[in-house]
Amino acid sequence: SVATPANKKRFVLGEAFTAEGLTVRKFYNNGTEEILPYTSFALTSPDMTKLGTQDVILTSGEFSMAYQITIVEDNIVDMGTIGEITWTLDNSGTLTISGQGEIPNYIRTTNNAPWCTKANNKVITKVVVEDGITAIGNYAFYNHAKATTISVPESVKRVGIQFIRGTLIAEI
C-alpha cells in the first residue's frame, strides 16, 4: 500500500512523469513490513499524451501494486469523478459536468458537491451540463456566487431543489 503519496498525482498533458516522494509499505508473510522508496520498484510508464486517470504499476519480484495518476489539459485547475460522471473546472471559470447518469443530491450544510470548495465557489462563472446527464441533484451548484450562466441539455429530466441557490443565474 502507499505509505506516502507522491509529491504530484496530477500532471498536465505532455508533462514528464515523476513519482518523486512516493513510498510504499510492503507487507511480508512473516508479519513484518517495510517502507520503501519508489526507486526500489520497476514502474510502468504512463502515456502522458492521453487525458484521464491512469495506473502506474510498481513491481518488485512477486510484489505488484497500482498507483493512480491523472493527466489533464493545461487549462484545467480542478477535476474529479462521481461514479460515471466527470467534472472539470478550467481557468476561465467554466465548470463542465459530463458522463452518464444523475448528479446526486447534496445537503448544503453537511454534504457539498465535490466541486463546491471555497476556492472553486469564488471562480466558477459558468456551468455546462453535457448531454448524458439525466438529473441534477439538490444544491448541486449551491453558493457559486459568481456563476451567471448554466446550460442544461434535454437529457436532464429532473432538477433538485435549490440547485442554483446562491448564484447569479437568472434563467435556464
Side-chain angles (χ1 to χ4, degrees), residues 114-127:
W115 51 82
C116 289
T117 65
K118 286 183 182 180
N120 288 351
N121 286 353
K122 293 177 185 176
V123 298
I124 294 172
T125 57
K126 179 180 180 181
V127 177

Side-chain angles (χ1 to χ4, degrees), residues 75-77 88-96 119-128 144 146-149:
N75 67 331
I76 301 298
V77 296
T88 59
L89 176 60
D90 68 25
N91 58 8
S92 72
T94 300
L95 172 67
T96 303
N120 288 351
N121 286 353
K122 293 177 185 176
V123 298
I124 294 172
T125 57
K126 179 180 180 181
V127 177
V128 176
H144 295 319
K146 291 187 176 186
T148 57
T149 62

Side-chain angles (χ1 to χ4, degrees), residues 17-168:
F17 169 72
T18 177
E20 191 70 36
L22 176 66
T23 62
V24 174
R25 181 174 284 114
K26 190 173 176 183
F27 298 94
Y28 296 95
N29 290 337
N30 66 5
T32 62
E33 63 183 66
E34 183 178 19
I35 295 179
L36 300 167
Y38 75 95
T39 53
S40 301
F41 300 89
L43 280 70
T44 58
S45 296
D47 182 352
M48 301 304 283
T49 65
K50 182 180 170 192
L51 294 173
T53 302
Q54 296 186 38
D55 286 337
V56 175
I57 308 298
L58 292 83
T59 55
S60 175
E62 293 181 17
F63 176 84
S64 180
M65 70 168 278
Y67 184 73
Q68 286 194 332
I69 64 164
T70 304
I71 301 168
V72 299
E73 294 180 21
D74 63 356
N75 67 331
I76 301 298
V77 296
D78 201 0
M79 69 179 299
T81 59
I82 310 162
E84 298 297 315
I85 296 172
T86 300
W87 62 273
T88 59
L89 176 60
D90 68 25
N91 58 8
S92 72
T94 300
L95 172 67
T96 303
I97 314 255
S98 60
Q100 299 294 316
E102 298 185 359
I103 299 171
N105 289 323
Y106 295 98
I107 301 167
R108 68 181 177 156
T109 55
T110 59
N111 179 27
N112 290 323
W115 51 82
C116 289
T117 65
K118 286 183 182 180
N120 288 351
N121 286 353
K122 293 177 185 176
V123 298
I124 294 172
T125 57
K126 179 180 180 181
V127 177
V128 176
V129 179
E130 294 188 345
D131 192 44
I133 302 301
T134 57
I136 300 172
N138 300 343
Y139 298 99
F141 308 113
Y142 174 73
N143 210 24
H144 295 319
K146 291 187 176 186
T148 57
T149 62
I150 185 170
S151 65
V152 178
E154 290 184 16
S155 63
V156 172
K157 303 301 181 198
R158 180 183 62 79
V159 295
I161 62 168
Q162 301 187 14
F163 77 104
I164 55 173
R165 182 180 179 179
T167 70
L168 298 174

